[in-house]
Amino acid sequence: MPNLPLSKAEVDVLVAGLHRVATNLWWTWDQEAQEIFAELSPRGWTNLYHNAVAILREVSDYELRVRLQDRLFADRVRQVVQAFDAYLAERDTWGRERAPALRERPVAYFSAEFGFHETLPVAAGGLGILAGDHAKSASDLDVGLVGVSLFYREGYFMQAVDANNWQTEYFDRLNPANLPIEPVLNAAGQPVTGEVEIAMSRVKFTAWRVAVGRVPVYLLDTNLPDNEQTFRDLTLHVYGGDSSTRIMQEILLGIGGVRLLRAVGVQPSVFHMNEGHAAFLTLELLREKIAAGNNLTEALAQTRAECVFTTHTPVEAGHDRFTPGLMDYALHGFRSRLPAPWEEILGLGRIDPRNHSEAFCMTVLALKNSRAANAVSELHGRVSRRMWHCLYPDRPTDQVPIGHITNGVHTLGWLKGPVRRFWRRKLNGGAEEKEAAPVLRELFRLVRGQPANPWKRLLGEPDFWRRLADPAFLSDEEIWCLRYRLRREMIEFARRRLLLQHERLARGDFIRFDALLNPDALTIGFARRFATYKRAPLIFQQFENIVKLTRDRQRPVQFIFAGKAHPRDDAGKRYIQHIIHLSKYSELQGHLVFIENYDIHVARTMTSGCDVWLNTPRRPLEASGTSGMKAACNGCLNLSILDGWWREAYDGTNGFAIGEDAHVDHVEEQDRLDSANLYKVLTEQVIPCYFDRDEQGIPRKWIQRIRRAFTTIVPQFNTGRMVQEYTEKYYLTK
Ligand SMILES: *Cc1c(COP(=O)(O)O)cnc(C)c1O
């Protein structure tokens, strides 16, 4: 058949469609869309860090039109655009059926950070990633939700390790033209602006809109010529500067955020504070209600009825506290607009309202002004109830009104490309698969009962995963082959990164980067913020023993680490320094590497490419943790202290536990015990299981654990389940 040229009109439709897709983050969880952008400019895809908007700027309009004359390519583009439009147009959604009230009056979800994708690096860590995944799942479910945050034009810091192995920080300015964000405009096409009172000034802001599927997220921006430079720089960095910058950012987020929503005509039915940073929003709600004629008591009751709050950490430093002096200063202008006794307002942030010297705590403010509050895992719920019992002295600890909803991840977004392609082929696949076992035919029937993109909508179904993980559908060999492929992709990524890291230091020593790491070794990964309670170097307390494990030619083990320390956390930086030092100068050289600049892409690559995901927090300080969930959906097994989510997920068959479901309170004793237990489980369970190969060379028992991880972890620890729980327990019930 001749390849008929596409008409100009047909090409116009595809070009416009592709631009629509690029500016909606939906493409970040759609494999086919990503493959189109990557194919348009393979090198650009890598160099521009997987940025669809930038790719469409890199490729000229003329080139794009010519490239679309490739019929097959044009067909794929058409399918992606159709899939996108179908996604936006879906009617038979969970949200329409179960939460219609939120369509008219959505949830306003406030978070100081959102982590969506590596091209928009405005998250500092797990809190932001969780917020991003919350928004993506709200979109998938079609739950009415709008996000509110700040546009940090230099984002979170980039990590570069210097010649002394010391973390240094630098920033890259983001270019809005190259990002999937658009200015928020009014009906006249002018930027929507608002104003907040900060200290003695009136600070103007505008906003950007990020389209996350169906969910809009608004990012406030004070970088306007009308503002003094200090206020223009308020939205420079995520959690930038000292406590004075911090409180001002939080005033902008909470108070400015409410004003922005009013300005764009969104009337939320509930305000969800993702961590205490956003709690000043309750003061703006109070102000509105008093201005509408209510007295303070009425206004407080109405505000409480509209707000819910999620607390995210038992670590003291994670709870913002501001001195009375700083409160007076930073809220000076706002206070004059709030006709209520200031001492009473300050009392809302104090455990003892009459104690004038007590610092103002954002968590206390959020708890006092919410109708419901929750922690992020069962154990964290228990710990939080004890932690905040002081606010409810009349009740027994277990009656403190803080529940829990365990965190999750947006599964599709965290599947590595080869894994998505693997399932795509297996599920939409060729003839040979359709003739497979009855279990498969049943699976297709289950799948076919669903509309477009069927398997993607089943990712949260336990039954679906049970069938997927059935050996009649999926062989050990296929799983093992996929695992090899993912490990190799990560190792090659690591080699490239290490070469670049090395070149930056411009050192003469010669290292064969292509020989670093062994694709046949049991690869243990650890990547997260280098907060000291996460105890990154714990495994190296048994240094001599660990060296022996890496030297074992029959059963080699290797380690790959990544993570950023907070810029002012010297103890965390010393942990990084220690690990990099070991990687370069100890007997672990070649068996241990540290990848700089941990971010979403590094996280996706490592959680999919490693065999074992190590987590050694000092229990019970890991409120939930989520990276282990990313690991599980890619077939990487968890090896973790029974803290946070893992305490709930581990069942003896789906990964490995370090120690017991208990902990001692003495810190040194705990470290000693945990390190001994870690070594024990590693040598007695993990390594023997991994290297127990049958005559075909397959580690059957290991793969059985992967199957168990698929069936017991993935359908449970995802944000689809999580957002449903928030909707039913917190958003819809008063
Ligand atoms: C998932 C993720 C985190 C959070 O992981 P934890 O297990 O909670 O420590 C932090 N940073 C990045 C970049 C992530 O992708």
Side-chain angles (χ1 to χ4, degrees), residues 5 63 93 97 132 141 149 160 167 176 198 378 405 408-409 441 504 569 591 614 636 668 675 679:
E63 176 181 346
T93 59
E97 188 186 325
L141 292 165
S149 190
Q167 169 181 298
I198 300 181
E378 202 240 329
I405 292 180
V409 294
R441 285 202 291 276
R504 207 197 53 239
D569 178 10
H591 310 288
L614 177 65
C636 163
E668 277 100 63
S675 136
Y679 183 71

Short mmCIF file of all heavy atoms in Angstrom, two decimals, residues 5 63 93 97 132 141 149 160 167 176 198 378 405 408-409 441 504 569 591 614 636 668 675 679:
data_model
loop_
_atom_site.label_atom_id
_atom_site.label_comp_id
_atom_site.label_asym_id
_atom_site.label_seq_id
_atom_site.Cartn_x
_atom_site.Cartn_y
_atom_site.Cartn_z
N PRO A 5 0.36 10.66 1.79
CA PRO A 5 0.77 11.74 2.67
C PRO A 5 -0.39 12.24 3.53
O PRO A 5 -1.55 12.20 3.10
CB PRO A 5 1.26 12.83 1.70
CG PRO A 5 0.76 12.45 0.36
CD PRO A 5 0.45 10.99 0.37
N GLU A 63 10.18 20.58 11.35
CA GLU A 63 10.65 19.19 11.48
C GLU A 63 9.53 18.27 11.97
O GLU A 63 9.33 17.18 11.44
CB GLU A 63 11.83 19.09 12.47
CG GLU A 63 12.25 17.62 12.67
CD GLU A 63 13.41 17.39 13.65
OE1 GLU A 63 14.09 18.37 14.01
OE2 GLU A 63 13.61 16.23 14.04
N THR A 93 -16.13 7.20 36.26
CA THR A 93 -14.99 7.24 37.18
C THR A 93 -15.44 7.02 38.62
O THR A 93 -16.61 7.25 38.95
CB THR A 93 -14.30 8.60 37.10
OG1 THR A 93 -15.25 9.61 37.43
CG2 THR A 93 -13.75 8.86 35.70
N GLU A 97 -18.80 8.69 40.75
CA GLU A 97 -19.77 7.83 41.41
C GLU A 97 -19.77 8.03 42.92
O GLU A 97 -20.81 8.13 43.55
CB GLU A 97 -19.45 6.37 41.07
CG GLU A 97 -20.51 5.40 41.54
CD GLU A 97 -20.08 3.97 41.31
OE1 GLU A 97 -19.41 3.71 40.29
OE2 GLU A 97 -20.39 3.12 42.16
N GLY A 132 2.65 15.00 45.12
CA GLY A 132 2.53 14.82 43.67
C GLY A 132 1.74 13.57 43.33
O GLY A 132 0.86 13.58 42.47
N LEU A 141 -8.62 8.97 39.65
CA LEU A 141 -9.92 8.60 40.21
C LEU A 141 -11.00 9.60 39.86
O LEU A 141 -12.18 9.33 40.04
CB LEU A 141 -9.81 8.52 41.74
CG LEU A 141 -8.96 7.40 42.32
CD1 LEU A 141 -8.64 7.68 43.79
CD2 LEU A 141 -9.68 6.07 42.19
N SER A 149 0.52 25.45 46.02
CA SER A 149 1.89 25.44 46.52
C SER A 149 2.58 26.71 46.01
O SER A 149 1.91 27.65 45.59
CB SER A 149 2.62 24.18 46.03
OG SER A 149 3.86 24.04 46.67
N ALA A 160 26.33 18.69 44.63
CA ALA A 160 27.60 18.36 43.98
C ALA A 160 28.59 18.08 45.11
O ALA A 160 28.67 18.84 46.07
CB ALA A 160 28.09 19.52 43.13
N GLN A 167 29.38 17.55 50.67
CA GLN A 167 28.26 18.02 49.84
C GLN A 167 28.28 19.54 49.69
O GLN A 167 28.36 20.25 50.68
CB GLN A 167 26.92 17.60 50.47
CG GLN A 167 25.72 18.28 49.80
CD GLN A 167 24.39 17.91 50.42
OE1 GLN A 167 24.00 16.75 50.41
NE2 GLN A 167 23.69 18.90 50.98
N PRO A 176 10.44 29.00 32.96
CA PRO A 176 9.02 28.63 32.82
C PRO A 176 8.64 28.25 31.40
O PRO A 176 7.76 27.41 31.20
CB PRO A 176 8.28 29.89 33.27
CG PRO A 176 9.23 30.57 34.19
CD PRO A 176 10.61 30.30 33.64
N ILE A 198 2.75 40.85 54.58
CA ILE A 198 3.87 40.17 55.24
C ILE A 198 4.70 41.23 55.92
O ILE A 198 5.11 42.21 55.28
CB ILE A 198 4.72 39.37 54.24
CG1 ILE A 198 3.86 38.30 53.54
CG2 ILE A 198 5.91 38.72 54.95
CD1 ILE A 198 4.62 37.44 52.54
N GLU A 378 0.13 3.19 60.61
CA GLU A 378 -0.52 2.79 61.85
C GLU A 378 0.37 3.11 63.05
O GLU A 378 -0.07 3.73 64.02
CB GLU A 378 -0.82 1.29 61.78
CG GLU A 378 -1.91 0.85 62.71
CD GLU A 378 -1.40 -0.17 63.70
OE1 GLU A 378 -0.48 -0.94 63.35
OE2 GLU A 378 -1.92 -0.19 64.82
N ILE A 405 -3.86 7.19 57.89
CA ILE A 405 -4.04 6.64 56.56
C ILE A 405 -2.63 6.39 56.04
O ILE A 405 -1.83 7.33 55.95
CB ILE A 405 -4.79 7.61 55.62
CG1 ILE A 405 -6.26 7.77 56.06
CG2 ILE A 405 -4.73 7.12 54.17
CD1 ILE A 405 -7.08 8.71 55.20
N GLY A 408 0.99 5.94 50.16
CA GLY A 408 1.11 5.07 49.00
C GLY A 408 1.97 5.75 47.94
O GLY A 408 2.56 6.81 48.18
N VAL A 409 2.07 5.11 46.80
CA VAL A 409 2.73 5.72 45.64
C VAL A 409 1.82 5.59 44.42
O VAL A 409 0.96 4.70 44.38
CB VAL A 409 4.11 5.08 45.32
CG1 VAL A 409 5.10 5.35 46.44
CG2 VAL A 409 3.98 3.57 45.06
N ARG A 441 -6.96 -16.15 30.01
CA ARG A 441 -8.23 -15.78 29.36
C ARG A 441 -9.15 -15.09 30.37
O ARG A 441 -9.82 -14.12 30.06
CB ARG A 441 -8.88 -17.03 28.77
CG ARG A 441 -8.17 -17.51 27.49
CD ARG A 441 -9.09 -18.36 26.63
NE ARG A 441 -9.37 -19.64 27.27
CZ ARG A 441 -8.55 -20.71 27.17
NH1 ARG A 441 -7.44 -20.64 26.46
NH2 ARG A 441 -8.84 -21.84 27.78
N ARG A 504 33.83 16.18 36.61
CA ARG A 504 33.62 17.50 37.19
C ARG A 504 34.74 17.83 38.17
O ARG A 504 35.17 18.97 38.30
CB ARG A 504 32.27 17.55 37.89
CG ARG A 504 31.69 18.94 37.93
CD ARG A 504 30.59 19.06 38.94
NE ARG A 504 31.05 18.59 40.22
CZ ARG A 504 30.49 17.60 40.90
NH1 ARG A 504 29.46 16.98 40.40
NH2 ARG A 504 30.97 17.22 42.06
N ASP A 569 22.63 20.56 57.67
CA ASP A 569 22.78 19.36 58.49
C ASP A 569 24.19 18.77 58.29
O ASP A 569 24.41 17.91 57.45
CB ASP A 569 21.70 18.34 58.09
CG ASP A 569 21.81 17.03 58.87
OD1 ASP A 569 22.60 16.98 59.84
OD2 ASP A 569 21.11 16.07 58.50
N HIS A 591 32.70 -1.82 44.61
CA HIS A 591 31.52 -2.56 45.07
C HIS A 591 30.52 -1.63 45.76
O HIS A 591 29.48 -2.08 46.24
CB HIS A 591 31.91 -3.67 46.05
CG HIS A 591 33.01 -4.54 45.54
ND1 HIS A 591 32.83 -5.45 44.53
CD2 HIS A 591 34.33 -4.61 45.88
CE1 HIS A 591 33.99 -6.06 44.28
NE2 HIS A 591 34.91 -5.56 45.09
N LEU A 614 17.20 -1.22 50.79
CA LEU A 614 17.56 -1.22 52.21
C LEU A 614 17.00 0.01 52.91
O LEU A 614 17.09 1.12 52.40
CB LEU A 614 19.10 -1.22 52.29
CG LEU A 614 19.72 -1.16 53.69
CD1 LEU A 614 19.39 -2.41 54.49
CD2 LEU A 614 21.23 -0.96 53.58
N CYS A 636 11.68 -5.18 43.08
CA CYS A 636 12.85 -5.10 43.98
C CYS A 636 12.34 -5.36 45.40
O CYS A 636 11.31 -4.83 45.80
CB CYS A 636 13.47 -3.71 43.84
SG CYS A 636 14.60 -3.21 45.14
N GLU A 668 22.00 4.11 71.38
CA GLU A 668 23.19 3.32 70.99
C GLU A 668 22.90 1.82 70.97
O GLU A 668 23.36 1.09 70.10
CB GLU A 668 24.37 3.58 71.94
CG GLU A 668 25.15 4.82 71.59
CD GLU A 668 24.76 5.98 72.49
OE1 GLU A 668 24.99 5.87 73.71
OE2 GLU A 668 24.23 6.98 71.98
N SER A 675 22.11 -3.12 63.72
CA SER A 675 23.20 -3.45 62.81
C SER A 675 23.51 -4.95 62.85
O SER A 675 23.75 -5.58 61.82
CB SER A 675 24.41 -2.56 63.16
OG SER A 675 25.58 -3.30 63.18
N TYR A 679 22.94 -7.59 59.63
CA TYR A 679 23.95 -8.50 59.10
C TYR A 679 23.45 -9.95 59.12
O TYR A 679 23.66 -10.72 58.19
CB TYR A 679 25.25 -8.37 59.90
CG TYR A 679 26.34 -9.23 59.33
CD1 TYR A 679 26.95 -8.90 58.12
CD2 TYR A 679 26.73 -10.40 59.98
CE1 TYR A 679 27.91 -9.71 57.57
CE2 TYR A 679 27.70 -11.22 59.43
CZ TYR A 679 28.29 -10.87 58.23
OH TYR A 679 29.24 -11.68 57.67
#
